[in-house]
Amino acid sequence: MVLYWTMPTDTNPIFNLDTIVIVGPGLLGGSVALGLKAAGHTGKVIGVARSQSTLDIAIQVGCIDQGTTDLVEAAKQADLILLATPLKTFRDVMGQIADHLKPGCIITDVGSTKSSVLIDAHEQLKPEQLKYLVPSHPMAGSETQGPAGASAQMLQTRPCIVTPLDQSDPKTVAEIKDMWDRIGMQVIEMTPQQHDEHSAVISHLPHLLNVMLVQTAMEMGGMEMASTGFKGATRLASSNPTIRSDILTCNRTAILRVIEGFEKVLAKMKNKIDKDDRQGLLDDLNQAMDFRNHWVNQFDHRGESGKTDM
Amino acid sequence: MVLYWTMPTDTNPIFNLDTIVIVGPGLLGGSVALGLKAAGHTGKVIGVARSQSTLDIAIQVGCIDQGTTDLVEAAKQADLILLATPLKTFRDVMGQIADHLKPGCIITDVGSTKSSVLIDAHEQLKPEQLKYLVPSHPMAGSETQGPAGASAQMLQTRPCIVTPLDQSDPKTVAEIKDMWDRIGMQVIEMTPQQHDEHSAVISHLPHLLNVMLVQTAMEMGGMEMASTGFKGATRLASSNPTIRSDILTCNRTAILRVIEGFEKVLAKMKNKIDKDDRQGLLDDLNQAMDFRNHWVNQFDHRGESGKTDM
């Protein structure tokens, strides 16, 4: 059974909106645009980017119908505006559009941290605009960057976290949740704080560990022996440094707390290796393997159950 | 140009040996057996395992021609014996076979640590047997276990470290290196100590980080948001706990030294996040990305150059 939130099927007004504006039609923004089209949006999609070449590629790939480098001009026409630029630019983008949005324009985003979006929005947007803001975090990505790699497929069966504000309009929240659901994502609602703590654990710490593993190899050597295991264990170190350093800034507090949690885990592990506690180590490895295998099994079957539902 | 060590092509006597014995025809041992056949070995391959079901699967997959649970019986017939059981069993296996090997029987292994193999060999084998011992570490693997997943393909273009002893017979060393080369691996010679330090960096630390990331998530939560990034960053936590805990014991000293190196990297990273040193963080991420991308580019092209050579 599919729960379409509180909405009857086939009537989500978002898919009938005339103009959707994607600020930053890159890998993720472009994929959302393609997902909207695939899910039935027939209106116009305008992309806003700083460089014309990004817009040209986004048009070529079919993410957007038209492109402009003029944010304000695009914002004036928007019925829904999706922020998909690096996190650090959100404050500036919101400041630029606040005086130009149509009343009732829906605002959402794909930012990887959510407390920072809330702070930016409270500072930059008008109180009546906050009603139509529904921050979101579609959790999907790949090693590639830019609209050339965009695909609706990339979002399928992946989690999308939605973090409504206290003052968010319930109808708009339902519409946005339904939008992500129809794009094919697994919608989960939580508070911005929960989102940030959890994503520090399952996304920002993994990235940092991948980077620090590379740094350790840079310091200590051994690359002539590196193979597929090392390649996989450092994959996230090749993700966009600008986006990633923005996240480290925007989610600083939660990340530091999670690093402290990791340091405790590391100290225990090191102690067991130092003491040659074979049974303790074997128990730890078995427990971690079982926990991961159980999760992977659930995760890999999400796609199949999704298909049955649809 | 292919450098066949100091040997003329087509005359490596290993491929003409009557009987090769694989002790532990699992994923890696079985793959080596398949690789030997694919590279032209026409003699008999005997597998030794504790359980008949492993032997049955290994025969079914075509890794071995016959199987036995009697190590000594098999060792008596061996012209070359390959140890592919868990590291902790090497001492016992060597102790059992030492009195029964034919003079001049070549001994090699696939163990993930090499100083420990050296210690075991000096304790258990006879001085004249050490002459024909050439410890090896073919660096390949997968998430699966057991002979069912064995394939010659798995070894292709992967590094194989060879760590001869001071007393190793140069002709045997050349033959073993040529054997791995013909199986399709990239042969690298180094000392056991170099091997162990480097593999702690590029193999054992990655595994521990994957495990400790899972443990952090078990402590701090967030799994409902976990996606492909987390899945990839924890892949090694699903590798065989028995084999992995053996490695932690057998390579304890080098691993502890590498953990200390990692702790220094972590302290620097944490400090930069704490101080919100945006430029420092961006520089670090860029440097790590460039280092990894450069290596991945070389690594991914190994296969192609290998094919050209053959």
Side-chain angles (χ1 to χ4, degrees), chain B:
Chain B
M1 202 189 78
V2 183
L3 179 61
Y4 276 113
W5 316 110
T6 54
M7 302 187 55
T9 315
D10 295 321
T11 58
N12 187 339
I14 285 179
F15 290 89
N16 299 323
L17 291 178
D18 279 340
T19 305
I20 292 181
V21 170
I22 311 277
V23 187
L27 179 70
L28 196 48
S31 296
V32 174
L34 290 171
L36 281 165
K37 279 179 200 282
H41 176 246
T42 49
K44 184 169 63 177
V45 176
I46 303 176
V48 182
R50 274 181 307 187
S51 90
Q52 187 60 43
S53 65
T54 302
L55 295 170
D56 292 344
I57 297 169
I59 288 173
Q60 226 171 357
V61 175
C63 301
I64 59 175
D65 300 305
Q66 52 189 76
T68 173
T69 55
D70 188 336
L71 173 62
V72 169
E73 236 7 82
K76 282 178 184 169
Q77 303 173 58
D79 299 302
L80 181 150
I81 189 160
L82 177 108
L83 310 188
T85 48
L87 274 170
K88 262 169 63 183
T89 66
F90 277 23
R91 193 173 176 278
D92 181 48
V93 170
M94 288 178 184
Q96 286 189 57
I97 63 177
D99 284 337
H100 305 284
L101 292 177
K102 291 196 258 186
C105 174
I106 300 173
I107 308 163
T108 185
D109 73 300
V110 301
S112 305
T113 67
K114 299 266 70 90
S115 301
S116 65
V117 173
L118 215 64
I119 294 167
D120 292 341
H122 275 98
E123 275 181 24
Q124 302 295 327
L125 298 179
K126 299 177 196 304
E128 67 268 25
Q129 290 171 336
L130 293 180
K131 233 182 114 178
Y132 304 103
L133 170 68
V134 186
S136 300
H137 178 202
M139 301 192 63
S142 102
E143 259 175 86
T144 62
Q145 297 166 17
S151 86
Q153 183 63 35
M154 196 181 85
L155 306 173
Q156 295 287 320
T157 78
R158 298 289 164 243
C160 181
I161 315 301
V162 176
T163 61
L165 286 61
D166 290 340
Q167 61 266 59
S168 294
D169 169 48
K171 187 172 152 289
T172 307
V173 173
E175 285 170 11
I176 286 288
K177 287 166 78 174
D178 180 70
M179 177 191 86
W180 294 118
D181 183 61
R182 291 191 196 209
I183 285 176
M185 305 198 76
Q186 308 280 328
V187 180
I188 307 168
E189 183 177 329
M190 58 178 78
T191 68
Q193 294 73 23
Q194 281 174 327
H195 169 277
D196 289 354
E197 284 175 21
H198 289 177
S199 53
V201 172
I202 58 85
S203 172
H204 310 158
L205 179 62
H207 168 252
L208 285 173
L209 294 179
N210 278 228
V211 169
M212 292 187 293
L213 177 54
V214 172
Q215 291 179 313
T216 306
M218 287 166 72
E219 296 264 336
M220 304 188 83
M223 290 305 292
E224 74 280 20
M225 285 174 60
S227 189
T228 45
F230 186 84
K231 187 180 169 188
T234 57
R235 192 181 70 86
L236 300 171
S238 290
S239 48
N240 188 315
T242 306
I243 293 175
R244 290 295 189 167
S245 63
D246 279 7
I247 291 173
L248 295 179
T249 292
C250 294
N251 205 26
R252 197 176 141 269
T253 313
I255 289 172
L256 285 170
R257 196 159 46 236
V258 168
I259 288 179
E260 274 154 30
F262 175 79
E263 284 173 332
K264 284 181 198 152
V265 167
L266 174 61
K268 279 187 205 164
M269 179 66 80
K270 189 183 171 190
N271 186 44
K272 284 180 189 170
I273 296 170
D274 193 32
K275 288 191 174 152
D276 204 8
D277 174 5
R278 297 179 193 204
Q279 191 57 48
L281 289 167
L282 186 60
D283 291 347
D284 279 5
L285 300 191
N286 270 310
Q287 198 182 23
M289 179 183 72
D290 290 345
F291 184 88
R292 178 181 186 270
N293 287 353
H294 179 74
W295 170 74
V296 167
N297 191 41
Q298 289 184 313
F299 182 75
D300 286 348
H301 285 82
R302 272 190 201 169
E304 286 166 35
S305 63
K307 272 173 219 150
T308 318
D309 284 351
M310 281 168 7

Side-chain angles (χ1 to χ4, degrees), chain A residues 138-303:
Chain A
M139 301 192 64
S142 102
E143 259 175 86
T144 62
Q145 297 166 17
S151 85
Q153 183 62 36
M154 194 180 83
L155 307 172
Q156 295 287 321
T157 77
R158 298 290 162 242
C160 181
I161 315 301
V162 176
T163 62
L165 287 62
D166 291 339
Q167 61 266 61
S168 293
D169 170 48
K171 188 172 151 289
T172 306
V173 173
E175 285 170 13
I176 285 288
K177 287 166 77 173
D178 180 70
M179 178 190 86
W180 293 119
D181 183 62
R182 291 191 196 208
I183 285 175
M185 305 196 77
Q186 307 281 329
V187 180
I188 307 168
E189 184 177 328
M190 58 179 78
T191 67
Q193 293 73 25
Q194 281 175 328
H195 169 276
D196 289 354
E197 284 173 22
H198 289 178
S199 52
V201 172
I202 57 87
S203 173
H204 310 158
L205 178 63
H207 168 252
L208 285 173
L209 294 179
N210 278 226
V211 169
M212 292 187 294
L213 176 54
V214 172
Q215 291 179 313
T216 306
M218 287 165 71
E219 297 265 338
M220 304 189 82
M223 291 304 293
E224 75 280 19
M225 284 174 62
S227 188
T228 45
F230 186 85
K231 187 180 171 190
T234 57
R235 192 181 69 87
L236 299 172
S238 289
S239 50
N240 188 315
T242 307
I243 294 174
R244 289 295 188 167
S245 63
D246 280 7
I247 291 173
L248 296 178
T249 292
C250 294
N251 204 26
R252 198 175 141 270
T253 314
I255 289 171
L256 285 170
R257 196 160 45 238
V258 169
I259 288 179
E260 275 153 28
F262 175 80
E263 284 173 332
K264 283 180 199 154
V265 167
L266 174 61
K268 277 186 206 164
M269 179 67 81
K270 190 184 170 188
N271 185 45
K272 284 180 188 168
I273 296 171
D274 193 31
K275 288 190 174 155
D276 203 8
D277 174 6
R278 298 179 191 204
Q279 190 57 49
L281 288 167
L282 186 61
D283 290 348
D284 279 6
L285 300 191
N286 269 310
Q287 197 182 25
M289 180 184 72
D290 290 344
F291 184 88
R292 178 183 185 268
N293 287 354
H294 180 73
W295 170 75
V296 167
N297 191 41
Q298 288 185 314
F299 182 75
D300 286 348
H301 285 82
R302 272 189 201 170

